Amino acid sequence: MRLKKNIVTTLGVMLRFFPVLISENKTFQEAAMLRGISYKHIRNWQHPLRIFEYSIVPLLMRTISLGEDLSMNGFMRGMDIEKRRTTLYSNSLTQFDLLILPILFTLLFIFLAG
């Protein structure tokens, strides 16, 4: 069964987004605990707007930034191109490479031994 490219792209971004979101949430919660704002303290539940302001709002703002970064990353990798992917250069060793390789290894050996 083949999935449409749009669905695969969306799933790829989602699978990369959630682990990053979890680590960002952990970072924000640690920073909030340093300020004395945590879900674990009963006294903080008396001020729900403060918990919301210091916990949820920064996470939402960072989420927007992360979503844009991941979308741009996918765009730069060419995930939205309809054509088949190609390469610009061949990835094989040429005769020049085979000629230069022993010279470089010799220089490396001299450098490391000396």
Side-chain angles (χ1 to χ4, degrees):
M1 181 174 106
R2 295 186 60 88
L3 297 173
K4 291 186 177 183
K5 193 160 190 141
N6 293 340
I7 295 172
V8 172
T9 303
T10 304
L11 288 174
V13 170
M14 279 179 23
L15 290 175
R16 291 189 62 199
F17 178 73
F18 285 120
V20 174
L21 180 65
I22 290 169
S23 68
E24 290 291 328
N25 185 34
K26 186 176 179 182
T27 303
F28 283 125
Q29 294 303 320
E30 289 173 359
M33 287 180 78
L34 289 174
R35 289 187 214 134
I37 301 165
S38 174
Y39 297 121
K40 297 177 183 177
H41 299 298
I42 302 285
R43 64 181 167 83
N44 288 330
W45 285 101
Q46 297 171 352
H47 306 285
L49 290 177
R50 190 163 71 168
I51 290 177
F52 181 78
E53 182 181 353
Y54 291 132
S55 300
I56 305 299
V57 172
L59 186 62
L60 289 175
M61 300 308 282
R62 183 68 180 146
T63 300
I64 292 169
S65 175
L66 286 172
E68 290 174 354
D69 290 346
L70 288 174
S71 297
M72 188 57 64
N73 187 352
F75 178 72
M76 294 302 292
R77 289 178 181 230
M79 293 178 97
D80 60 342
I81 295 176
E82 298 295 328
K83 296 181 181 178
R84 187 169 182 249
R85 294 184 185 186
T86 60
T87 59
L88 295 176
Y89 306 103
S90 64
N91 294 329
S92 61
L93 291 174
T94 62
Q95 291 178 351
F96 179 73
D97 297 328
L98 295 175
L99 178 69
I100 294 294
L101 202 58
I103 296 170
L104 291 175
F105 277 122
T106 305
L107 290 173
L108 180 67
F109 180 73
I110 291 171
F111 178 74
L112 292 177

